[in-house]
Amino acid sequence: MKAQWIWENASPAPDEYAEFTAEFAAGGKNVLRISADSQYAVYLNGELAVFGQYGDFPHYKVFDEVDITPFCREGKNTLSVIVWYFGTASSVYFPGKAGVCFEVLTDGETAVCSGADTLCRADVHYVPHQCKIITSQMGYSFHYDASADESVPFHPAVLTGFEADPVPRPNKKLVLEESIVGKMIGGDGLTHFLLDLGREEVGFISLKLVSDTKQKITVAYGEHIVDGCVRRKVGGRDFSVEYTVKPGENAYMNPFRRLGCRYLEIFCEEPIALHEAAVVPTVYPVTEVPFDAGTPLRQAIYDVCVRTLRLCMHEHYEDCPWREQALYAMDGRNQIIAGYHAFREYQFPRSCLSLMAQDRRPDGLLAITTPCGTDLTIPSFSLHYFIEVLEYTQYTGDESLAREVWDKLCSVLAVFTSRIENDLIPTFPGKQNWNFYEWSSGLSGRLGRHEDACPDLLLNCLAVRAIDAMRFLAAKLDLPFDAGDTADRIRAAIRRTFWLPEEGLFSDYNESVHISELGNSLAILAGVITGEEAAALAKKLAERKSDAVAITLSMKCFLYDALLQVDRDTYAPWILADIEAVYKPMLDAGATSVWETEKGEADFNRAGSLCHGWSAMPVYYYHVLLEK
């Protein structure tokens, strides 16, 4: 790209908006190339033409290339680029330098590009520097002022000195679908409006209204109704955005911040005539594979799981669109393997896995999410990444991803194997390391004793599986890898340390007995226990007659996989019945997407998500167990 990186001022601050303008004469084909930190929207001749920066890093910048010919007209065309600079680390953003670079190619020749002569100004409508947090994972909310003075002059841009050479976007751009208009279900219809979109949706807020006066309105959003209203504030989170209304007619759609919700609630200072409050769905373009699940209940479960996958599918897979919108390695594995079957599309999962490998934490582990600017990691999730790369290679036959991320796999694995003591890997101490496995008693990493550096069953089983995955990939790709007998030594040490022969079960920890379905499922999958002993253990897990801590929704896949590894014919019907037992209550409760946990919104001190990608795993098992 010939474009230079520019910004509106020399000292940008977090939560800042800038507007850039340029003119060009259109030709036969007109292509826009653009990259920004942090989000952008492009208006061509006043019409929204392009939006959505791919989540990336300062060292790995991505540009979009979009054919804007349909938005062009003969003669002069006016390009307006609005950029929202976050500036503060979150679970979805790694802080970089405020800036944008763009160019328009007309019939292959540069018609205009960003530089020191590009005109710009601080955007007059978006209120800057409020730094109002929605959630710590998502980052900032917004306040749009429709009454702002638009006569503020433009001035030449400032060169930022940023010299990144962006790479092409690795997956498709999002598309907008027809607005989902909220239906009035409460409020007085003057200063208070409660609206139902009819089902969970993810997209941009859109408002059409008339007001006699300038006033500020607040739009709260959420997934459920409590005490007759949307639960706006939950444990320090604030699910709301703001809009200052100009007198007369107002029509607005925010092109930056996706909302995940079913309900909208509008609070006004003075009466308004609300013509429409809607969400405009932002959709990643994939085609669903037709699938017959065999029974009405199974079909309903399958369909709602596929819909959940799509609601959690934007620049990358995200855990929940309401509360976080973040790409986790473990969550992503559930979504990716289900998506292989639901969509038979591989560009999107490849881009997710490639992006994870761009992480550059100093300790060598993967950050808790990708991209992420906060100093936090879940060590066990780094080990799930190995299985994801292996499964991608197996499902697609594409060896290029594994070759691309091979050095990253080797370096991450070395972090674990370099810590081996007495043939076991201890957990990771320090506040930056969250020794989390699942949301169940004793496995969520919240107990102080489990934050100490001591070996446990689960981390070591996951490490064995990672080593085995590397050995398979190395053989398939003819790449150098020599772990010696490390995996076998860890298996033997796991057996010595955590096996309880009288119970016929493994304990998760050696300093005290703590038995979980997840830990024992991983022991089977890691080959720590085999043959008749594995069959006996699988039977105990299926009968659930022990005191083992029950496995949670996100990790059910490991229980199911362990049972299938032991005896597919015996346990396939058990798994199908268990899926129905878990998901039918959600459908009976009116779910239009699947929940984060079986407790629904009541979990996590009333912050439980009702749309969570990791829970869409029935898609995978229905295909594997029901397809002829």
Side-chain angles (χ1 to χ4, degrees), residues 505 517 539-548:
L505 294 160
E517 291 181 352
K539 185 177 180 182
K540 286 179 182 289
L541 293 174
E543 291 179 348
R544 289 179 168 153
K545 292 182 179 178
S546 71
D547 294 328

Side-chain angles (χ1 to χ4, degrees), residues 331-349:
D331 303 43
R333 186 265 170 176
N334 286 12
Q335 293 167 289
I336 287 171
I337 198 169
Y340 290 149
H341 294 273
F343 312 123
R344 305 281 167 82
E345 189 270 356
Y346 306 115
Q347 182 185 25
F348 187 82

Side-chain angles (χ1 to χ4, degrees), residues 297-298 301 517 541-544 550-553 555-561 563 571-586 598 617-618 621-622 625:
L297 176 56
R298 287 178 184 168
I301 293 171
E517 291 181 352
L541 293 174
E543 291 179 348
R544 289 179 168 153
I551 204 163
T552 57
L553 212 53
M555 297 288 173
K556 283 263 186 179
C557 55
F558 296 106
L559 171 60
Y560 294 167
D561 288 350
L563 296 177
Y571 292 114
W574 185 96
I575 291 168
L576 293 171
D578 190 68
I579 289 172
E580 292 183 4
V582 170
Y583 286 84
K584 184 176 183 297
M586 296 187 203
E598 293 177 64
M617 282 299 282
Y621 290 101
Y622 280 168
L625 300 179

